[in-house]
Amino acid sequence: MVSAVMNAGCFLGSMTSSRRSRMRSFALLIAALVLAGQAFAAAPTLTHLFPAGGQRGTKVTVTCTGTFTWPPKIWAPGVDATALADSGKIDVTIPADLAADRVWIRLYDAEGASVAVPFLIGSLKEVDEVEPNEKPRAAQVIGETNVTVNGAFKDADVDCYSVQLSASQTLVAALDANTRIGSPMDSILQIVAPDGIVLAENHDDLNLDPRLAFTAPKAGTYIVRIFAFPATPNTTIRFNGGAGHLYRLTLTTGPYATHALPLSAPLSNPGTVSVAGWNIPTGTQLSIVPFGGNRLSQDQELEVLDDFRRSSEIRLGFASTPDFSIATRVRLVPSTVTMQLDAADPKRPVIAPLSSSITGCLKVAKQTDHYRIPVTKGQQLIVSAESRTLEIPLDLVMTLSDPTGKAVADVDDVAGSRDVSVVHTAALDGEYQLTIGDRFRQGGDRCWYLLTVRGEQPDFELSVSTDQIVVAPDKPTEIPVKILRRETAPTATGAIEVKVTGLPEGVTAAAVVSEPSSPTAAEVKLSFTTTGMPFSGPIQIVGKTALPQEMERFARTPARLGYAFESFWITATAAPAEKPK
């Protein structure tokens, strides 16, 4: 823009005085319009990345889809991301020791930031889909059976992949799309013969994403066929596709882990876990490390605090090995961890004390497990049983009865989930009886659940309805912070000071106090101001209280693909340039 104005000045020197004056006014008007356009430029947007993931220990060239001025800055904790010369292209370098199966990438500039988009991390060699591959006899040939295929349904599409299997060899085919990437599709996965006969099929093993293990009856060629319907059902009956319909298809004859056993581990000393899944060698044990390690210490995913009343101290662990096609997450809990595989006898119920995390299994069809929970009168009891949350396909039901045998809670499907929880204040001393089963009487070696039993403790949770904050110099930006107090008695948590950490120079937000017996008990407002120095980056919102003991909790963002974060993105915009006369 500056060079254009200078050129216009040279041109004006050769004109008459009156004409020069008119042209000077015109040039200044153009300059003012350009400046105005720059001042009100939009923040970058990012809808998806392709490929939607990469292999640990490699560099991947990724295409960004969205609207942006290239090159933007890139925020990608856990990996190294560099903008290339071609618009929309970035190189993502994935550390070989990254203890995570997903990271999040964001584009930003002086005007603001895009949403963060998920990018999956795997262990297998990566290949891209090659069209046309919609028919079994035109299937894309996969030369080795340990790969992750990056593909997309660009329209109402069917994709086929051809693999060679030996007799009795087990192929695991697993699709990541809706659950971990957010693709708006409900997929179906089939194993078919070259003539199109369906040999195996799965629809919703991992929420809306299919997974299956197929053992070849004889040596030969087998076709993995996938297609999808809309994630949100509508009145049409047709295959689905379009922008953002991305997937990652794992094809392996090697070990594939679906979950760890037990389903939780001690927060203070995680140790090791065994793993369950397909093609897993007997006795396999994996060490647990904190999710993301030092690379994601402030940017790791956290479980959502919802009606299941999980402790806010829970963190994620990660168990992996290069020999496995996929790693597994482990819940790290501040309670006693046990496994109970003999809870089916109603005459010998298992004791489930307060502050316990118990992994159980419905080993056979129609099985019901039985527990005893010792409590005292007036004690508030929090009980949950989870399976779907932990990516295991059960539909749990639970009944809680008091010491007299009277049912005080009969629970099925809490908060839109197929898992269950109950909060109950004991009216009697003694042992409460708890039964757990599956709504459809399922049972088998994949039918695991996690039972959590704890008593209510004074605590609080902070939440914000957005994960992005924009502050302009002309007026403050107010951000409401919701405060949910977990009380065992009125005003048990006392006053809570809420403040912001990580603010840059020139941006301020005064700390505010939530008093237990006032309108601020459930919500406070933080007021952000800026002097006009531009900034874009992460911050945290933290609450502290001294009653009944010193306690610190970080505000969490709204859930994204089932998880939340404890960091927020703030953009402080620059002061507007002085308007030219």
Side-chain angles (χ1 to χ4, degrees):
M1 194 264 305
V2 174
S3 61
V5 174
M6 291 178 65
N7 291 336
C10 295
F11 179 62
L12 289 172
S14 63
M15 296 183 179
T16 64
S17 175
S18 60
R19 192 176 181 192
R20 188 184 303 124
S21 176
R22 291 195 300 273
M23 289 301 295
R24 183 180 292 111
S25 298
F26 177 73
L28 289 173
L29 175 61
I30 295 300
L33 291 173
V34 172
L35 284 170
Q38 291 178 340
F40 294 101
T45 66
L46 181 62
T47 57
H48 56 270
L49 304 167
F50 186 86
Q55 182 183 13
R56 196 175 281 103
T58 67
K59 180 189 289 186
V60 186
T61 298
V62 176
T63 300
C64 303
T65 298
T67 57
F68 34 70
T69 300
W70 202 259
K73 295 180 180 179
I74 306 171
W75 179 80
V79 298
D80 296 320
T82 305
L84 303 180
D86 291 345
S87 180
K89 302 286 187 181
I90 63 175
D91 270 350
V92 178
T93 302
I94 308 167
D97 62 348
L98 179 60
D101 53 10
R102 180 169 62 188
V103 297
W104 297 76
I105 296 176
R106 183 193 304 271
L107 306 181
Y108 69 98
D109 58 23
E111 303 303 327
S114 72
V115 298
V117 172
F119 185 80
L120 303 191
I121 310 297
S123 298
L124 300 183
K125 177 182 177 181
E126 306 255 333
V127 299
D128 288 346
E129 176 196 4
V130 177
E131 294 276 10
N133 63 342
E134 67 275 7
K135 297 180 180 180
R137 296 197 179 278
Q140 179 178 341
V141 176
I142 303 299
E144 53 185 289
T145 52
N146 288 291
V147 299
T148 297
V149 182
N150 292 289
F153 293 135
K154 297 180 181 178
D155 47 32
D157 201 1
V158 175
D159 288 342
C160 297
Y161 300 94
S162 170
V163 297
Q164 292 291 320
L165 297 177
S166 303
S168 301
Q169 192 172 28
T170 297
L171 173 73
V172 178
L175 196 74
D176 279 319
N178 181 267
T179 302
R180 292 178 176 149
I181 302 175
S183 299
M185 58 197 206
D186 181 359
S187 308
I188 293 178
L189 185 153
Q190 298 175 331
I191 306 295
V192 303
D195 59 4
I197 296 176
V198 177
L199 306 174
E201 180 178 273
N202 183 260
H203 189 185
D204 295 332
D205 188 78
L206 178 57
N207 300 320
L208 294 183
D209 292 335
R211 299 186 296 194
L212 61 78
F214 170 75
T215 301
K218 61 181 181 180
T221 299
Y222 294 88
I223 309 300
V224 180
R225 180 166 65 188
I226 55 175
F227 50 91
F229 297 99
T232 302
N234 55 36
T235 57
T236 64
I237 303 176
R238 60 187 299 272
F239 294 157
N240 199 41
H245 288 64
L246 312 179
Y247 64 80
R248 283 168 60 80
L249 173 65
T250 296
L251 299 172
T252 181
T253 54
Y256 184 97
T258 56
H259 52 277
L261 294 174
L263 297 170
S264 63
L267 182 62
S268 58
N269 184 22
T272 62
V273 288
S274 61
V275 285
W278 296 294
N279 297 333
I280 304 290
T282 302
T284 298
Q285 292 278 320
L286 299 180
S287 296
I288 305 171
V289 298
F291 188 89
N294 293 331
R295 298 179 187 275
L296 292 175
S297 58
Q298 292 188 347
D299 300 292
Q300 66 171 266
E301 298 182 10
L302 299 167
E303 294 196 65
V304 178
L305 301 178
D306 53 21
D307 290 346
F308 289 96
R309 299 295 306 278
R310 304 177 191 95
S311 168
S312 57
E313 297 178 22
I314 286 175
R315 292 294 182 268
L316 288 177
F318 192 72
S320 68
T321 173
D323 300 330
F324 281 35
S325 58
I326 192 168
T328 183
R329 298 182 176 198
V330 187
R331 179 180 291 178
L332 304 182
V333 298
S335 54
T336 303
V337 173
T338 60
M339 284 186 64
Q340 283 292 345
L341 303 182
D342 298 305
D345 187 351
K347 296 181 180 180
R348 299 176 58 192
V350 172
I351 294 179
L354 297 183
S355 191
S356 60
S357 179
I358 301 172
T359 297
C361 184
L362 303 176
K363 294 183 289 186
V364 297
K366 301 182 181 181
Q367 178 175 325
T368 300
D369 283 357
H370 302 263
Y371 295 90
R372 295 180 294 158
I373 306 174
V375 297
T376 58
K377 183 178 178 179
Q379 195 164 41
Q380 191 167 29
L381 189 64
I382 303 170
V383 183
S384 66
E386 298 173 79
S387 182
R388 289 295 178 113
T389 307
L390 303 169
E391 302 182 349
I392 300 169
L394 284 177
D395 188 346
L396 294 172
V397 292
M398 180 170 68
T399 300
L400 181 68
S401 302
D402 69 16
T404 69
K406 177 184 176 182
V408 296
D410 198 353
V411 191
D412 181 17
D413 295 354
V414 170
S417 167
R418 296 186 184 181
D419 292 339
V420 290
S421 69
V422 64
V423 178
H424 175 73
T425 301
L428 300 168
D429 292 330
E431 290 184 337
Y432 275 65
Q433 310 298 313
L434 179 73
T435 62
I436 297 173
D438 178 77
R439 182 179 182 183
F440 300 104
R441 305 291 185 91
Q442 293 186 84
D445 57 5
R446 295 188 67 205
C447 296
W448 297 88
Y449 63 86
L450 181 64
L451 169 64
T452 303
V453 180
R454 65 189 185 96
E456 182 71 281
Q457 298 291 329
D459 204 344
F460 67 94
E461 300 166 8
L462 304 181
S463 61
V464 178
S465 62
T466 179
D467 67 347
Q468 293 201 50
I469 302 167
V470 179
V471 189
D474 52 346
K475 66 176 182 179
T477 296
E478 283 195 340
I479 299 296
V481 181
K482 298 287 186 182
I483 302 170
L484 181 57
R485 294 170 178 264
R486 302 296 190 184
E487 312 281 27
T488 54
T491 71
T493 51
I496 302 170
E497 181 189 49
V498 180
K499 64 179 184 179
V500 184
T501 63
L503 286 174
E505 182 181 353
V507 180
T508 60
V512 292
V513 176
S514 166
E515 297 288 354
S517 299
S518 78
T520 62
E523 180 180 291
V524 295
K525 290 184 179 180
L526 291 168
S527 181
F528 292 81
T529 62
T530 177
T531 59
M533 186 178 298
F535 175 82
S536 199
I539 60 171
Q540 290 185 303
I541 299 172
V542 60
K544 292 185 178 180
T545 183
L547 293 176
Q549 59 188 8
E550 189 170 318
M551 192 182 305
E552 181 179 87
R553 297 288 184 259
F554 288 86
R556 296 195 181 181
T557 63
R560 289 283 308 280
L561 300 183
Y563 290 84
F565 300 87
E566 288 182 344
S567 62
F568 299 79
W569 194 268
I570 187 170
T571 299
T573 59
E578 184 179 349
K579 294 181 180 180
K581 297 180 180 179

